[in-house]
Amino acid sequence: MMAQEDEDRRAWFRREILPLEPDLLAYARQFCRDGQTDPEDLVHETFARAIACKTWREIGNPGAFATRILRNCALDALRRRKVLTITAVADFERIEPIDEAPGAQSIVESRQELRALADAIAELPTQCRRVFTLRKVYSLSPDEIAVRLGLSVSTVEKHLVKGLRYCSEKLGRRNERKSKVDERRSWSGTRDHDAKR
């Protein structure tokens, strides 16, 4: 049981915390301008503390959690120094914690993603849609869904795979189109800028 708990925590760490490394490194550099502390050391210490957290299941905002740990690591490093430089103290007072509230742009994008996902689910065949909704929205297990809909567990699992594949492909195509539009926009902006020179 303990081994499974550790494995779940490691999986959570790989999924939620590890991808934050570039942002955490950029944040850490703000505390290291005087050259006394290595930003990578701060990030590694942050990772060590995050993976050791016993209450990881209760963390609602992994990004805010990780930046708070990093700030505490930076403060600990500052306290350990025999000589405090004015730069280090000034930096620490100047740097605000990363704003944990999502920006307007990310809220709009999240809503668009959610709408696209809802559209993709609506396009699934009826039985597949029922299975997918019971699993992903209501968090029922495949066994519970099988009993509720009078299906075999293997049929439920096939519907789930089909639904996941369809929604992933649909959202993937949408994101590809969006990134192509963004690329065209940035290219035409560069072209127009170059033409004016």
Side-chain angles (χ1 to χ4, degrees), residues 71-87:
R71 192 175 169 82
N72 290 339
C73 290
L75 185 56
D76 291 346
L78 193 62
R79 287 185 187 125
R80 283 194 298 268
R81 291 190 202 166
K82 299 223 172 9
V83 178
L84 290 181
T85 64
I86 291 168
T87 315

Side-chain angles (χ1 to χ4, degrees), residues 99-113:
D99 186 9
E100 295 168 15
Q105 179 64 26
S106 70
I107 290 170
V108 169
E109 284 174 7
S110 297
R111 283 184 185 151
Q112 288 171 345
E113 284 283 317

Side-chain angles (χ1 to χ4, degrees), residues 20-143:
L20 301 172
E21 186 171 15
D23 293 335
L24 290 173
L25 203 50
Y27 188 49
R29 285 192 189 103
Q30 297 180 65
F31 296 104
C32 304
R33 290 190 319 133
D34 64 350
Q36 297 288 309
T37 310
D38 181 5
E40 288 188 359
D41 287 347
L42 285 181
V43 173
H44 293 155
E45 177 66 22
T46 300
F47 283 167
R49 291 187 191 185
I51 202 166
C53 178
K54 300 288 187 211
T55 57
W56 62 274
R57 288 184 196 277
E58 295 161 29
I59 294 161
N61 186 337
F65 167 72
T67 54
R68 222 171 9 254
I69 292 177
L70 191 141
R71 192 175 169 82
N72 290 339
C73 290
L75 185 56
D76 291 346
L78 193 62
R79 287 185 187 125
R80 283 194 298 268
R81 291 190 202 166
K82 299 223 172 9
V83 178
L84 290 181
T85 64
I86 291 168
T87 315
V89 176
D91 278 352
F92 212 91
E93 288 175 355
R94 177 182 58 80
I95 298 165
E96 291 297 316
I98 290 174
D99 186 9
E100 295 168 15
Q105 179 64 26
S106 70
I107 290 170
V108 169
E109 284 174 7
S110 297
R111 283 184 185 151
Q112 288 171 345
E113 284 283 317
L114 205 55
R115 200 171 299 120
L117 178 59
D119 291 346
I121 293 169
E123 291 167 9
L124 293 171
T126 308
Q127 196 70 292
C128 182
R129 186 174 64 246
R130 284 184 188 140
V131 168
F132 194 81
T133 305
L134 288 171
R135 180 75 182 122
K136 297 297 173 187
V137 178
Y138 297 100
S139 301
L140 295 186
S141 71
D143 290 345

